[in-house]
Amino acid sequence: MADTQDGPRVHKLRSGFNVTTFPLPPHGMRLTDASPAELAQHGLPPRPDPDRHPALHAFWLKNFDRKLQFIVPQFTEIPNIRHLPQQPSVIGGSKNWSGAVVAAPTAQLIGGAVGGQWNVPVLQNVDGNVDYCMIWVGIDGDPTVNPNLANNLVQAGTLLTVDGSGNLTWLAFWEWLAQGLGINSPDVGIMNMPVRFGATFATSIWITSPTTANVYMTSDSGPAGASVGTITSIAAPPTVKLIGGCAEWIVERPNDLNGNLTTLANYGSVEFASATAATTGLQGSVLAGQGSPIVMTDPTTGNTLSTGRIVSGETVVCTYG
């Protein structure tokens, strides 16, 4: 795929799903000075009002008020894992998630955006096989908030693995999950998005309709530490629409294709900063600190695998064990 393009371009994945990429912002373009029309032309989210949404505005600035090298993303489908919504554990906590979840405010929906940033951790293998650690932000997917949320989850973040020899792999990814509806929606990785261990990675999902969203990612992993950015427009699977019942900031162990939970790698700790979401139409901000922590437990052994803690309004820390 070329590194530049003149207009929006639709890409058909092997699974049949479509994604859209946008023209890259001109070199040297200062995004904080761009008009709403110019931002939309490049798939970039509008600037939130600093008086009405100070937290969301600050997050927007953190992403866009800096020099970025934009690239046209190159996609690959991830064939060997599956996500599930939050799976409550019989001993308390969750079998597959840790982090924090916040429910939509009363009489409102989280249908505007969700975002966060973290330093990519170096993994340690714990069982001699391929161990996983997926770190992401998302909307919906937690049936403990509302049972209907189990059939819908839009998420984006980083997929990390380590094998028994200590070999590490990484990949930026996104997915719009349609659990329980008989739809096989794959995780989609961005092959040319650099993810360097120890560097800062940020992602945000900006909802453009109940069935579409723009996923924005930045990584301080480019040449000489340069910040690299990508923008992708994604669509929900057929018959699926965003509900907007909750937002979350998660460290996850995914399932394999047989439905078995994979082993969570020892990731040390991950701090989600700027853990912020927005209601529909960017009418209000929602912070992770307004929600509840999630602890990952193993119902077979009774062990705590990963502990989520809310440290402040916009900060969530996950710790292995």
Side-chain angles (χ1 to χ4, degrees):
M1 182 186 300
D3 290 332
T4 61
Q5 61 184 61
D6 296 327
R9 181 180 300 167
V10 177
H11 309 267
K12 192 175 188 65
L13 304 177
R14 289 195 309 272
S15 58
F17 291 93
N18 292 335
V19 297
T20 302
T21 56
F22 297 91
L24 302 183
H27 180 71
M29 179 181 182
R30 185 173 173 83
L31 299 180
T32 51
D33 295 334
S35 68
E38 289 173 321
L39 292 173
Q41 177 187 359
H42 301 291
L44 295 164
R47 282 185 297 274
D49 186 289
D51 296 321
R52 295 176 60 189
H53 314 301
L56 198 60
H57 182 260
F59 179 75
W60 191 97
L61 289 178
K62 187 170 291 187
N63 278 277
F64 297 108
D65 190 15
R66 56 184 173 139
K67 186 176 180 180
L68 289 166
Q69 175 187 341
F70 283 93
I71 59 174
V72 176
Q74 299 175 357
F75 305 110
T76 181
E77 295 185 44
I78 304 169
N80 56 339
I81 59 167
R82 289 288 181 266
H83 288 280
L84 288 178
Q86 202 269 94
Q87 302 289 296
S89 173
V90 295
I91 63 172
S94 170
K95 292 189 292 186
N96 58 333
W97 288 15
S98 66
V101 60
V102 60
T106 302
Q108 299 184 67
L109 296 174
I110 300 177
V114 64
Q117 67 178 47
W118 56 91
N119 284 344
V120 180
V122 176
L123 307 184
Q124 295 182 17
N125 187 273
V126 298
D127 67 352
N129 300 309
V130 177
D131 298 345
Y132 289 82
C133 177
M134 304 194 77
I135 308 168
W136 50 268
V137 305
I139 297 176
D140 292 338
D142 192 338
T144 67
V145 176
N146 183 319
N148 293 331
L149 301 181
N151 288 330
N152 184 62
L153 168 62
V154 59
Q155 59 187 172
T158 50
L159 162 62
L160 313 173
T161 73
V162 58
D163 66 16
S165 299
N167 298 306
L168 300 161
T169 70
W170 50 261
L171 195 64
F173 84 97
W174 55 263
E175 183 186 24
W176 201 318
L177 177 69
Q179 172 69 20
L181 300 180
I183 300 171
N184 182 15
S185 55
D187 289 74
V188 180
I190 300 179
M191 296 182 292
N192 58 334
M193 183 67 178
V195 181
R196 180 169 53 85
F197 292 98
T200 300
F201 182 92
T203 189
S204 52
I205 304 169
W206 298 77
I207 305 302
T208 51
S209 80
T211 59
T212 57
N214 288 356
V215 176
Y216 172 73
M217 297 178 175
T218 64
S219 173
D220 294 341
S221 302
S227 296
V228 177
T230 66
I231 313 117
T232 308
S233 178
I234 67 175
T239 75
V240 174
K241 291 185 178 181
L242 186 85
I243 298 173
C246 66
E248 54 271 336
W249 298 262
I250 299 297
V251 169
E252 178 192 6
R253 57 170 178 161
N255 287 63
D256 64 23
L257 298 185
N258 294 318
N260 302 309
L261 283 163
T262 59
T263 299
L264 180 68
N266 183 345
Y267 64 88
S269 66
V270 168
E271 178 179 300
F272 292 92
S274 303
T276 308
T279 57
T280 303
L282 305 183
Q283 294 301 304
S285 300
V286 183
L287 305 182
Q290 298 169 270
S292 303
I294 303 173
V295 175
M296 187 191 304
T297 60
D298 187 332
T300 302
T301 65
N303 294 333
T304 296
L305 302 178
S306 179
T307 302
R309 293 183 298 115
I310 295 173
V311 176
S312 68
E314 300 176 46
T315 305
V316 175
V317 174
C318 293
T319 305
Y320 181 80

